[in-house]
Amino acid sequence: MRSDPDRVCVLVVDDEPRIRDGLKRVLDPMGYFVLTASSGREALSMLASRDVAIVVLDLQLPDTNGMDVLNVIRQRHPHIVVIIITGFGTVQTAAEAMRKGAYDLLPKPFDPDQLRLAIARAREKMHLEEEARTLQQEKRRTLNDLAVEKSRLHTVLNALPIGVLVTNAEGAGVLLNPAFARYMNLPRDTAPGRDLTAYVQDEGVCHMIRALCDECPDKGCPDIEQSPTHEFSIGEEKYLLARGEKILGEQGDCLGAVVTIVDITAMKILDRLKGEFVAKVSHELRSPLSTIHEQLAMVLSDLVGQLSPSEEHLLSRAKEKTQGLISLIGDLLDLSRIESGVVCKTPRAVDLEELLENIIAFLGTKAAAKQQTLTLSRTPKPLPAIQADPLALESIFGNLIANAINYTPDKGRIEVKIDPTESHLSVRVSDTGFGIEPRHLDKIFERFYRVKTEKTRYITGTGLGLPIVKGLVDALGGSIHVESVPDQGSTFTVVFPTGGG
């Protein structure tokens, strides 16, 4: 190791003491740590044990030729910069020295400034070579990291149980994993690089992928849903769910799309079995419950005046509970039909104002019993007929208005208002009822969720009315929103597109 780790070590090799001492006097003030050697053998021995950066080498040495020493230095210490000094400098000598790896040649005699300039150039060469070595190491490390990342990515993709397909902006497949090939019934060794239709036979999936690529922001098209999905079947009792995602560059340019495929066969079969179970159990229970309800009603009617208050209360509560169970069964059947997609399949033109008038007339008796005001606010604008299933609309607004009556105290107000626009038709059902706390608003459309307070805990219900409303509204392509203030009332707004915008 060199004596001073903070100073560059220079080895001067010359058989003349005067030259060695002179070069040392020039280099010491420049901040170099200077070693000297009088022979080639001594120089090579010092190089083996010292960290030398620059060698100033005389060609005429007592024990060997300087060119031979240069050869050994280039073989053993390729990073050392060698400057040749000689009193017999010729063009041929300089060319040979450079060919063997010397960096510079100074013919004797030379002045201190020439030496300083040569050393400075040698230092610059050392600096550039060090930077080049650093860059090369970083390049090798980067390439190695990329290779590791690529290998890791392929390992992860190949191990995923879900299918993955990556396309470019033109829709051609650039990467797919074995699970995707298995789901699409492709050979396991299917190679990327072909058109999308070579990997996907379902038109819906192809359309979804092309839409993701075609409607990227750089192509001037409106943005679409970030993660569209598409369910499809690839055979009997085999159902898959495809989910797409755009791949955007740093500038927002479209690079392509990534599509994941998940096997949902078990879920579809489970949903079907669940629906069949609910339907079967509901049908089996409805008949005996209806019989019990009718018999309880008959007992209460026939024994008027013969029952004690406690007996009449118990029978009335039993009749009320059986009616609640019958309603629950009806709601479960409605939900089952909504989930199976058998409702809202036969839309036709519906006069919404007339439909609401009929619902209000039917429920008006119930509102009058509580001395409530139930009104329909008409609009002077002509109402466009909407294309929908009238039974679904009756269920939607029947549930909303019935809920408003139930959760509004006596002498309250319920208002139904229609508001048409160029592209939408909205219906608001407002009441002056008990209202809903903000913490409940995002849960009221969940099944069996009921808001129970001191004021509402005696109101009977199944907790399925609003989920049914939400399912029907979604099936009709509409949306529903709610605004509510505790103790002031609630407003449910249902919006349907009319196709006019």
Side-chain angles (χ1 to χ4, degrees):
M1 299 295 293
R2 68 172 182 257
S3 300
D4 189 342
D6 296 326
R7 299 167 67 189
V8 174
C9 183
V10 178
L11 174 62
V12 176
V13 185
D14 198 294
D15 60 338
E16 297 183 38
R18 178 179 57 84
I19 298 294
R20 295 197 301 271
D21 294 341
L23 294 183
K24 184 175 174 58
R25 284 195 301 271
V26 173
L27 296 176
D28 275 340
M30 295 175 64
Y32 294 100
F33 180 74
V34 182
L35 299 173
T36 60
S38 59
S39 66
R41 185 177 294 104
E42 183 184 4
L44 293 176
S45 175
M46 296 179 71
L47 290 177
S49 59
R50 302 277 186 164
D51 187 6
V52 177
I54 301 172
V55 173
V56 180
L57 176 64
D58 185 20
L59 289 181
Q60 300 296 322
L61 297 173
D63 58 345
T64 184
N65 185 279
M67 290 292 185
D68 295 333
V69 177
L70 175 61
N71 287 335
V72 176
I73 292 175
R74 301 315 303 159
Q75 292 173 6
R76 297 178 183 176
H77 314 283
H79 299 313
I80 293 178
V81 180
V82 179
I83 299 174
I84 299 296
I85 55 175
T86 179
F88 304 95
T90 64
V91 174
Q92 182 178 359
T93 303
E96 184 181 0
M98 296 301 177
R99 182 174 57 81
K100 292 187 176 182
Y103 173 68
D104 204 351
L105 184 144
L106 292 178
K108 296 179 181 178
F110 51 84
D111 57 46
D113 287 339
Q114 289 178 303
L115 177 63
R116 294 189 186 99
L117 182 60
I119 293 294
R121 288 200 300 261
R123 285 291 305 274
E124 181 65 22
K125 180 180 185 299
M126 289 168 49
H127 178 69
L128 293 175
E129 287 182 343
E130 184 175 356
E131 284 190 346
R133 285 194 298 271
T134 301
L135 290 174
Q136 189 66 24
Q137 290 174 354
E138 290 180 354
K139 179 181 177 181
R140 283 196 296 268
R141 185 164 55 248
T142 301
L143 290 174
N144 184 62
D145 290 344
L146 287 174
V148 171
E149 281 299 317
K150 185 176 180 181
S151 175
R152 184 181 295 128
L153 175 63
H154 277 282
T155 302
V156 171
L157 282 177
N158 291 342
L160 283 176
I162 64 174
V164 179
L165 172 68
V166 181
T167 74
N168 59 20
E170 287 70 39
V174 296
L175 181 65
L176 67 156
N177 68 345
F180 182 88
R182 184 173 66 253
Y183 287 144
M184 295 293 103
N185 294 322
L186 302 173
R188 184 178 176 83
D189 57 350
T190 300
R194 300 163 66 187
D195 184 72
L196 180 62
T197 54
Y199 308 104
V200 181
Q201 287 72 47
D202 185 82
E203 284 296 327
V205 178
C206 291
H207 175 75
M208 180 186 73
I209 297 173
R210 292 194 180 100
L212 284 169
C213 295
D214 292 343
E215 301 198 23
C216 282
D218 66 310
K219 298 187 179 180
C221 297
D223 196 12
I224 62 173
E225 183 185 356
Q226 286 297 311
S227 301
T229 60
H230 176 73
E231 289 186 16
F232 63 105
S233 175
I234 57 172
E236 187 175 352
E237 294 295 326
K238 187 71 172 179
Y239 301 94
L240 301 175
L241 174 67
R243 182 183 299 276
E245 189 77 32
K246 299 176 186 179
I247 303 175
L248 300 179
E250 294 182 357
Q251 306 300 322
D253 53 322
C254 180
L255 303 180
V258 58
V259 181
T260 57
I261 302 290
V262 181
D263 188 345
I264 59 171
T265 302
M267 293 193 312
K268 296 292 283 188
I269 294 176
L270 181 62
D271 283 343
R272 188 187 67 205
L273 293 175
K274 180 182 68 175
E276 292 174 353
F277 173 78
V278 169
K280 184 172 181 61
V281 171
S282 298
H283 282 298
E284 292 293 331
L285 289 175
R286 177 181 287 193
S287 179
L289 281 172
S290 297
T291 301
I292 294 171
H293 183 268
E294 291 173 1
Q295 291 174 347
L296 287 171
M298 186 182 300
V299 169
L300 286 169
S301 175
D302 292 345
L303 298 180
V304 172
Q306 303 179 37
L307 298 171
S308 66
S310 60
E311 290 172 338
E312 185 174 354
H313 174 73
L314 287 174
L315 290 173
S316 297
R317 289 291 292 169
K319 177 173 172 285
E320 181 184 332
K321 291 298 183 182
T322 54
Q323 181 58 53
L325 287 173
I326 293 171
S327 298
L328 174 61
I329 290 170
D331 289 343
L332 286 172
L333 288 173
D334 287 342
L335 275 177
S336 179
R337 285 193 290 268
I338 292 170
E339 291 178 346
S340 62
V342 299
V343 298
C344 306
K345 282 196 170 183
T346 56
R348 61 181 176 85
V350 179
D351 186 335
L352 189 57
E353 188 170 14
E354 180 182 349
L355 182 139
L356 290 172
E357 287 176 347
N358 293 333
I359 295 174
I360 289 173
F362 178 75
L363 294 174
T365 305
K366 186 176 182 180
K370 298 180 69 175
Q371 301 180 355
Q372 296 170 340
T373 303
L374 176 58
T375 59
L376 172 64
S377 295
R378 293 170 172 84
T379 174
K381 301 177 185 178
L383 290 180
I386 62 173
Q387 295 292 324
D389 184 336
L391 294 178
L393 292 177
E394 287 181 5
S395 180
I396 290 169
F397 295 111
N399 268 296
L400 291 178
I401 297 172
N403 274 355
I405 294 171
N406 289 335
Y407 288 90
T408 299
D410 294 355
K411 300 182 181 180
R413 297 189 310 277
I414 298 102
E415 180 186 24
V416 182
K417 185 176 181 180
I418 308 174
D419 184 18
T421 66
E422 291 184 0
S423 59
H424 294 85
L425 190 63
S426 64
V427 179
R428 290 198 297 273
V429 179
S430 303
D431 63 59
T432 57
F434 302 121
I436 306 169
E437 294 182 12
R439 61 192 177 95
H440 297 297
L441 290 178
D442 60 341
K443 301 178 181 178
I444 58 175
F445 294 106
E446 297 177 4
R447 298 178 187 181
F448 303 107
Y449 188 86
R450 297 190 62 210
V451 179
K452 290 189 177 182
T453 65
E454 285 297 319
K455 297 177 181 178
T456 64
R457 63 193 183 98
Y458 294 108
I459 300 174
T460 59
T462 63
L464 293 175
L466 288 179
I468 288 174
V469 169
K470 181 71 165 60
L472 290 172
V473 170
D474 290 344
L476 291 172
S479 60
I480 183 169
H481 314 280
V482 59
E483 298 174 352
S484 187
V485 178
D487 299 322
Q488 295 185 28
S490 305
T491 298
F492 285 83
T493 303
V494 180
V495 182
F496 293 114
T498 59

